[in-house]
């Protein structure tokens, strides 16, 4: 399999999962800044022009963070990335969807790409402020969700990498603080050898 990623993008979380698993994989950087995601070489792999994209050894490439994370956890059970069926699994899906669909797509996307949300450049500051508000509310939700827990679903699972990448953006890119339990979760993620290997591979460490 082959991961298409951009250094420090949301694909970092999938990179961590691949390192947790330890099965052989290739990784290819896509230069989002120069628009490589829109070039035919990449759209032939993923017409959505997005990373993460996971090219499988057989079949169509897999896209969308939650689907790729679920696929990896289900395909490599020995890595213990899949929570137990029932509430732990539901909590993992709930958190992954919230981090990707709300904190990332509605919050951070407004901060990093205001032009995608406003027709006029003059609205950019208001769009960014709304993005920050959505993200801050998301952090508060995750702070509550981590009450009494080290990991999102109780035990470490695929969901923790989704929370990790949005926290990486906040802490390392925006250099803003995280609330207490979320900060402790972020520190636990940074301490994992798999996270460290993925960050070195992406030139972030
Ligand atoms: N819904 C997608 C979102 C992926 C996404 O937005 N990826 C960003 C990087 S963090 C991207 O590829 N952006 C390129 C672009 O929008 O041109 C997922 O869950 O994987």
């Amino acid at each position: 399999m082959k991961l298409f990623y951009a250094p420090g993008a949301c694909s970092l979380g999938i990179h961590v999962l691949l390192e947790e698993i330890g099965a052989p994989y290739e990784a290819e950087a896509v230069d989002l800044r120069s628009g490589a995601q829109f070039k035919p070489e990449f759209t032939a792999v993923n017409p959505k022009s997005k990373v993460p994209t996971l090219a499988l050894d057989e079949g169509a490439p897999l896209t969308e963070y939650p689907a790729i994370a679920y696929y990896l956890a289900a395909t490599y059970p020995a890595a213990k990335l899949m929570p137990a069926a029932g509430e732990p699994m539901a909590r993992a899906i709930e958190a992954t969807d919230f981090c990707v669909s709300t904190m990332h797509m509605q919050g951070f996307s407004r901060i990093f790409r205001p032009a995608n949300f406003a027709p006029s450049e003059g609205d950019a500051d208001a769009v960014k402020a709304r993005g920050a508000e959505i993200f801050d509310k998301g952090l508060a939700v995750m702070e509550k969700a981590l009450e009494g827990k080290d990991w999102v679903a109780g035990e470490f699972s695929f969901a923790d990498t989704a929370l990790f990448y949005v926290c990486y953006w906040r802490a390392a890119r925006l250099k803003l603080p995280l609330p207490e339990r979320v900060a402790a979760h972020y520190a636990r993620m940074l301490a994992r050898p798999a996270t460290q290997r993925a960050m070195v591979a992406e030139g972030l460490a």
Side-chain angles (χ1 to χ4, degrees):
M1 64 196 155
K2 180 174 182 177
L3 173 68
F4 292 87
Y5 73 99
C10 53
S11 42
L12 174 60
I14 299 297
H15 217 156
V16 172
L17 288 175
L18 285 164
E19 285 296 329
E20 289 282 349
I21 288 165
Y25 70 95
E26 289 174 65
E28 182 172 321
V30 180
D31 186 358
L32 300 183
R33 290 209 178 113
S34 72
Q37 70 274 36
F38 304 113
K39 301 255 167 68
E41 294 82 353
F42 187 71
T43 56
V45 181
N46 182 0
K48 296 174 184 170
S49 295
K50 301 278 185 195
V51 296
T53 297
L54 187 70
L56 306 179
D57 294 338
E58 279 176 33
L62 202 46
T63 65
E64 304 298 330
Y65 194 103
I68 298 171
Y70 169 81
Y71 169 84
L72 290 173
T75 308
Y76 297 95
K80 297 193 180 349
L81 301 167
M82 187 72 96
E87 188 179 344
M89 184 64 189
R91 293 291 167 208
I93 296 169
E94 179 185 46
T96 303
D97 184 62
F98 186 66
C99 291
V100 177
S101 305
T102 301
M103 296 176 80
H104 166 183
M105 303 300 293
Q106 294 184 37
F108 259 114
S109 296
R110 277 185 168 78
I111 300 171
F112 291 149
R113 302 275 182 98
N116 288 351
F117 293 86
S120 124
E121 236 178 73
D123 293 330
D125 285 346
V127 170
K128 285 187 196 177
R130 179 67 189 128
E133 205 174 80
I134 292 169
F135 191 79
D136 285 354
K137 189 173 166 190
L139 279 179
V141 168
M142 292 313 298
E143 178 73 359
K144 177 99 184 99
L146 282 169
E147 218 171 75
K149 292 182 198 163
D150 280 355
W151 304 110
V152 164
E155 301 295 322
F156 180 75
S157 76
F158 64 82
D160 293 292
T161 64
L163 179 57
F164 169 68
Y165 86 75
V166 292
C167 289
Y168 171 78
W169 288 348
R170 165 102 175 175
R173 286 175 72 172
L174 299 183
K175 308 220 179 304
L176 290 172
L178 296 165
E180 193 179 340
R181 285 188 284 271
V182 175
H185 178 274
Y186 182 61
R188 280 190 284 277
M189 284 301 301
L190 287 175
R192 293 183 80 87
T195 305
Q196 292 165 10
R197 287 194 298 272
M199 292 184 78
V200 167
E202 296 199 5
L204 307 172

